[in-house]
Amino acid sequence: MDHFVNHHPLHGPFPQGLEQIVLGMGCFWGAERRFWRLGEGVFVTAVGYAGGATENPSYEQVCSGRTGHAEVVLVAFDPALISCETLLRTFWESHDPTQGDRQGNDIGTQYRSVIFCSSDEQLRLAEASRRAYGAALAAKGLGPITTQIAPAPPFYYAEDYHQQYLAKNPDGYCGLGGTGVACPTGLGAEPA
């Protein structure tokens, strides 16, 4: 199956030199659109489930809250064309990472905020970005970040009809909303 927008293959193996990161920020339809719209450097996006115990879960199982999975977006990107910092900035600014197991009216563990990293460098950048954005949020009177940051667990692709849903259904639901707080630049500039 190919990506509905850019026609690249949804499933790997992806071309050599690409990195992958898995991000969860509420309903995955709008989250995926935020990343494919970044354009050059984003090879492919795909929605799926990660962070839980059930193998190959269905959407209905994930929505039951019994799998432990979050709705997530896999982003395969070329770090020579788009930085992990840019992806992280988009992540932080596109949702409210202080809400725990919800995003707006979407409530449940599947809507929690997560960053699942595929390398130690991504983990370092994610932690540095959390500290920087946490300080920016606190300065505006918002609560602490609840985002889970961890090495990438298995990623399970969502059903075909969920892939690039908002490109196929332009008037479809998107409950994403950020805090209005800008993420500081130079997120990963802190020493390791």
Side-chain angles (χ1 to χ4, degrees):
M1 180 176 178
D2 289 344
H3 195 280
F4 185 78
V5 177
N6 70 17
H7 311 293
H8 291 159
L10 276 188
H11 297 265
F14 298 118
Q16 191 169 2
L18 296 187
E19 292 184 23
Q20 296 176 51
I21 192 166
V22 174
L23 304 163
M25 46 198 248
C27 176
F28 51 21
W29 293 342
E32 183 185 23
R33 181 171 62 185
R34 297 284 169 109
F35 293 102
W36 87 56
R37 284 185 169 174
L38 292 176
E40 188 177 15
V42 174
F43 179 77
V44 77
T45 58
V47 294
Y49 315 111
T54 304
E55 291 185 19
N56 298 305
S58 68
Y59 180 68
E60 290 74 20
Q61 288 174 314
V62 171
C63 288
S64 76
R66 294 191 299 269
T67 67
H69 286 295
E71 291 189 18
V72 295
V73 179
L74 168 71
V75 182
F77 66 101
D78 184 341
L81 299 174
I82 189 168
S83 68
C84 187
E85 289 95 336
T86 297
L87 299 176
L88 290 168
R89 184 173 299 109
T90 300
F91 168 82
W92 293 119
E93 292 180 354
S94 296
H95 76 301
D96 182 347
T98 70
Q99 293 193 350
D101 290 342
R102 69 179 300 161
Q103 278 302 301
N105 293 327
D106 293 330
I107 300 171
T109 56
Q110 74 267 30
Y111 300 118
R112 71 188 185 273
S113 176
V114 301
I115 302 173
F116 293 137
C117 303
S118 62
S119 69
D120 289 342
E121 177 63 6
Q122 284 184 7
L123 281 168
R124 185 187 74 77
L125 292 170
E127 293 288 356
S129 71
R130 176 168 53 189
R131 286 190 296 273
Y133 198 52
L137 291 173
K140 296 291 186 181
L142 293 164
I145 288 175
T146 60
T147 303
Q148 175 189 7
I149 298 175
F155 172 85
Y156 300 103
Y157 284 86
E159 295 81 353
D160 290 351
Y161 74 93
H162 287 298
Q163 304 298 336
Q164 301 83 60
Y165 181 86
L166 293 178
K168 299 170 190 170
N169 302 279
D171 295 324
Y173 168 77
C174 177
L176 272 188
T179 61
V181 177
C183 189
T185 57
L187 306 170
E190 299 177 33

